[in-house]
Amino acid sequence: RMALRAALAAADGTGPPTRLGDALTEAAGVSLDELVLRVQRSPGDRTVLTGLAPVVDRCAGEDPVARSILAEAATALAGLAAALRRRLGELPVAGVGGVFAMPALWAAFRNATGAVPPLARPEVGAALLAAGPDT
């Protein structure tokens, strides 16, 4: 969502220039206006936006706006991890999910939390948790 906002702001001259507009529209195969309409028509359906997240990662190497978006996302995720640690204690943190496949986001999250890659796929971990503490 932040990348789409940044692309719109760049297009109308109210934000800094960014490659995100061209990259997002190329990936989606539609104009920026049509992409906005898709998101607005189904605000609860995040598949359009999540499908565009790797585009932000690809742009981050040479686009400061994209880098900033990933850094902000990593900060937000690190804040969630910190909140869980305050509530549950100093537990180890592992980065699980497709968002952590983005190198820039993973690096920032790891630096903020000390996170490590998971030892097993999420479904294996869930099965071990479901089996109980004796497994």
Side-chain angles (χ1 to χ4, degrees), residues 19-28 52 55 58-59:
R19 294 187 55 237
L20 287 170
D22 290 339
L24 292 171
T25 57
E26 182 180 320
L52 296 174
V55 175
R58 285 193 299 275
C59 290

Side-chain angles (χ1 to χ4, degrees), residues 1-11 14-21 24 32 35-36 39 46 48-50 52-53 55-57 63-77 99 105:
R1 195 173 298 275
M2 291 170 62
L4 195 50
R5 284 185 187 130
L8 288 168
T14 61
T18 178
R19 294 187 55 237
L20 287 170
L24 292 171
L32 199 53
L35 189 53
V36 170
V39 171
R46 296 183 181 263
V48 173
L49 293 173
T50 57
L52 296 174
V55 175
V56 180
D57 184 57
D63 189 320
V65 173
R67 270 194 307 279
S68 173
I69 290 169
L70 291 182
E72 207 171 315
T75 298
L77 289 167
V99 72
L105 188 138

Side-chain angles (χ1 to χ4, degrees), residues 16 24 47 68 88 94 97-98 129:
L24 292 171
T47 57
S68 173
L88 302 174
L129 286 172

